Amino acid sequence: MNILTFDIEDWFHTNFDEGFNDLSKINSFESRIEKNMDRILNLLDEKKQKGTFFCLGWVADRYPNVIKQIDTAGHEIGSHTNMHHLVTQHTKYSFDEDLKKSIDLLSAITNKKVKYFRAPAFSIGHKNKWAFEVLHENGIEIDCSIFPSKRDFGGFDGFNNGEPCIVNYNEVHLKELPINLHSVLGKKIVFSGGGYFRLFPYALIKKWLAESKYTMTYFHPRDFDPGQPVLSDLSTMRKFKSYYGLKGAFPKFSKMLDDFNFCDVDTANAMIDWDKVSKIKI
């Protein structure tokens, strides 16, 4: 089972500083979302592959045509929050308000229920498990936010499950499609999206994909945009993670679509016997 997903945000959303995402600042940047999305959607149409697109309410508000394009092309749309703030930057109340706004903006364009969610930077972890209650209360049926390891800004260290499961928190039971893990020399690694996909050579990615029974990919429009500006106020390591491998990423992505069949979250949901997956109390 190879699941194809995208987090739909603009190139500058890679900055998670608390003061960065105020409207006056982000509205001053050049937007590259429309041309990057045209490129992705045209390739998926050419390869006859379908995916799930976790979209910001911010994108829906400013570029409703992008959301319409995704929907018209037959792809699923989920929420990626409204303003791309980390869940760790929210209170339970503010996260609820932000999620509601994104759902309202997206569903108003598609006239479809928003059933799926991914947190920016996989920022649901031990300190904000209340997010699962908020997701459940807002009609989210499947979450794709768990990164079962440590990472910048997020990650659920100690989760140790890189396969479909059901998360149980305070009597809320929510289907979870986490990022997959692959064992290399006894160490579990991530390879299937974002900077990890750009870092590893395609020969390794192809080998690891072939060996995996379950793969959850995640890509951003900026992953395929070598012409994007460079944010000057990022740390050296953050710059490396954000910009390394951009030039070769789109050809690599195209090869992957030729070599493997992918499905969207809804198709994966229908394929999984949820009665037999792990139930994980957190």
Side-chain angles (χ1 to χ4, degrees):
M1 180 187 297
N2 301 317
I3 307 172
L4 184 63
T5 74
F6 302 85
D7 297 347
I8 304 308
E9 60 208 48
D10 222 322
W11 64 273
F12 45 79
H13 284 110
T14 191
N15 192 325
F16 289 105
D17 288 348
E18 295 222 20
F20 181 80
N21 283 328
D22 65 271
L23 289 176
S24 62
K25 186 160 187 174
I26 64 175
N27 287 343
S28 69
F29 287 104
E30 167 206 1
S31 177
R32 301 175 69 86
I33 189 75
E34 291 174 295
K35 64 181 180 180
N36 283 333
M37 285 305 304
D38 283 344
R39 195 178 184 205
I40 291 169
L41 290 172
N42 286 339
L43 182 66
L44 294 181
D45 181 61
E46 175 190 332
K47 305 296 185 182
K48 300 189 181 340
Q49 301 264 20
K50 297 297 183 184
T52 297
F53 290 70
F54 296 99
C55 303
L56 294 182
W58 181 91
V59 172
D61 187 41
R62 286 154 185 78
Y63 306 100
N65 56 302
V66 169
I67 307 303
K68 289 176 184 176
Q69 276 184 293
I70 296 169
D71 183 53
T72 301
H75 303 289
E76 291 176 342
I77 290 176
S79 170
H80 194 43
T81 73
N82 184 51
M83 288 298 296
H84 206 247
H85 294 156
L86 300 172
V87 182
T88 52
Q89 294 169 335
H90 278 291
T91 65
K92 186 176 181 179
Y93 174 79
S94 66
F95 177 59
D96 179 65
E97 291 297 301
D98 182 90
L99 178 62
K100 279 184 168 69
K101 188 168 184 179
S102 74
I103 289 173
D104 289 346
L105 286 164
L106 294 167
S107 60
I109 294 171
T110 65
N111 291 314
K112 295 174 183 176
K113 181 183 177 183
V114 175
K115 301 185 291 184
Y116 312 127
F117 176 81
R118 173 173 291 141
F122 303 96
S123 52
I124 297 179
H126 292 288
K127 295 182 179 180
N128 54 9
K129 293 181 284 188
W130 44 257
F132 292 110
E133 293 178 314
V134 176
L135 295 176
H136 176 73
E137 290 164 2
N138 283 278
I140 297 298
E141 298 176 9
I142 299 180
D143 176 63
C144 301
S145 300
I146 288 186
F147 191 100
S149 181
K150 288 183 179 179
R151 74 186 309 272
D152 290 347
F153 305 115
F156 210 118
D157 188 32
F159 192 81
N160 294 327
N161 187 87
E163 297 180 346
C165 59
I166 293 177
V167 171
N168 178 5
Y169 176 71
N170 278 359
E171 303 308 316
V172 167
H173 301 265
L174 195 64
K175 294 176 180 177
E176 180 68 36
L177 294 175
I179 297 301
N180 55 289
L181 297 169
H182 190 74
S183 183
V184 178
L185 299 176
K187 184 176 181 180
K188 292 181 178 179
I189 66 164
V190 172
F191 68 89
S192 57
Y196 300 93
F197 178 82
R198 290 185 273 107
L199 175 64
F200 294 116
Y202 182 67
L204 278 179
I205 291 173
K206 183 177 179 179
K207 178 179 184 294
W208 294 337
L209 258 170
E211 293 171 350
S212 301
K213 294 181 179 179
Y214 161 81
T215 302
M216 168 60 78
T217 67
Y218 66 99
F219 300 101
H220 313 82
R222 65 175 180 269
D223 285 322
F224 310 122
D225 183 8
Q228 66 188 280
V230 176
L231 290 167
S232 59
D233 51 352
L234 297 179
S235 68
T236 301
M237 181 55 70
R238 187 66 182 160
K239 282 183 180 178
F240 173 79
K241 292 179 178 179
S242 297
Y243 299 107
Y244 180 83
L246 292 174
K247 187 175 180 180
F250 197 70
K252 188 189 296 187
F253 179 58
S254 180
K255 287 181 184 177
M256 187 183 74
L257 295 180
D258 285 333
D259 291 337
F260 297 92
N261 291 320
F262 290 86
C263 68
D264 56 22
V265 168
D266 192 61
T267 302
N269 180 37
M271 292 169 63
I272 296 166
D273 186 343
W274 290 101
D275 290 330
K276 294 182 179 179
V277 302
S278 299
K279 279 70 173 179
I280 299 178
K281 188 172 184 178
I282 59 173

